[in-house]
Amino acid sequence: DQILTLEDSSLLLVVDQFEEIFRYSGDDAVNFVQLLLEASRDRSHAINVLITMRSDFIGDCSRFYDLPEAVSAAQFLVPSLTRDQRDDVIRQPIEKAGKPEKDGGEPTATIDSTLVERLLNDIGGENDQLPVLQHCLARLWEKAKPETPNEPRHLTQQHYDDIGRISGALSKHADEIMNSPELAGLGLAVEQLFRA
């Protein structure tokens, strides 16, 4: 009803990680999906609905009436990254984050080429490894922080080993948080929270 106040404007409604809806059952999930479908079909208002969802959940759309048809009519599958694109995913943010303020200066952040190759080999061709790679790169960035402010940041194999590599970076980070003074004596509560 409130969309009427938009007048001549259009609205883009983005629902990221739509596959999470399949964890729920009952009227709330059904009503949510039906509201999205109705909004996307109502041509009296300029409403566009964009959902993102992992492709392995496409079949689960059949749980909701009319959803498979709507998804099939307007789906766009994002292709997997090539090895060169994954190389760019690793190198370019480091290069951009480490760009000197004055053009032509030396870069203030770099990464060993051998480390890039190691990262590419360790993540392999699995698409579900991209969030793990993102976390690993963030940890590498923190680990490579220079001791003095003007010193360039350089990410190395030693930093990679120190954070636990792709296979252990997330687990090692979680262990560090669990062992932090802020959570002292709360291990059981944290465990119960995650189990719930």
Side-chain angles (χ1 to χ4, degrees):
D1 295 339
Q2 295 180 19
I3 290 174
L4 295 172
T5 62
L6 292 175
E7 297 176 2
D8 293 334
S9 300
S10 60
L11 176 69
L12 174 63
L13 180 61
V14 180
V15 183
D16 193 21
Q17 296 181 327
F18 184 77
E19 66 269 13
E20 293 296 322
I21 194 74
F22 303 124
R23 293 179 29 203
Y24 301 95
S25 60
D27 291 342
D28 288 342
V30 170
N31 290 339
F32 178 73
V33 171
Q34 289 308 310
L35 282 172
L36 291 178
L37 290 169
E38 288 173 29
S40 68
R41 291 183 188 129
D42 185 358
R43 292 295 113 207
S44 63
H45 305 316
I47 303 171
N48 296 291
V49 178
L50 171 70
I51 64 170
T52 67
M53 175 175 54
R54 289 180 22 204
S55 59
D56 49 326
F57 284 90
I58 293 280
D60 292 309
C61 291
S62 63
R63 295 182 189 180
F64 298 97
Y65 182 75
D66 279 347
L67 183 59
E69 293 80 7
V71 169
S72 294
Q75 70 177 312
F76 175 77
L77 297 175
V78 178
S80 302
L81 295 176
T82 65
R83 186 175 174 94
D84 288 341
Q85 289 169 328
R86 286 192 298 268
D87 186 291
D88 288 344
V89 163
I90 295 169
R91 290 181 192 270
Q92 288 184 2
I94 294 168
E95 290 171 5
K96 287 184 180 176
K99 265 196 172 166
E101 291 186 24
K102 295 179 183 177
D103 290 337
E106 290 294 315
T108 59
T110 55
I111 184 170
D112 282 343
S113 292
T114 55
L115 176 54
V116 173
E117 288 302 314
R118 181 58 180 255
L119 287 163
L120 291 170
N121 291 337
D122 286 355
I123 63 168
E126 299 177 44
N127 288 330
D128 61 351
Q129 291 295 303
L130 291 177
V132 176
L133 175 63
Q134 178 186 12
H135 178 264
C136 185
L137 288 170
R139 296 283 289 162
L140 275 169
W141 184 260
E142 291 171 21
K143 192 71 173 170
K145 185 176 181 180
E147 293 182 18
T148 59
N150 295 329
E151 188 179 344
R153 187 180 307 229
H154 183 68
L155 287 68
T156 66
Q157 179 69 42
Q158 184 60 54
H159 295 127
Y160 185 57
D161 292 339
D162 291 346
I163 65 160
R165 302 181 176 202
I166 285 280
S167 59
L170 191 57
S171 178
K172 189 169 183 172
H173 190 193
D175 288 342
E176 288 172 12
I177 292 169
M178 281 299 299
N179 296 327
S180 67
E182 294 84 11
L183 292 180
L186 296 174
L188 180 60
V190 172
E191 181 181 343
Q192 289 174 338
L193 175 67
F194 275 95
R195 288 183 188 274

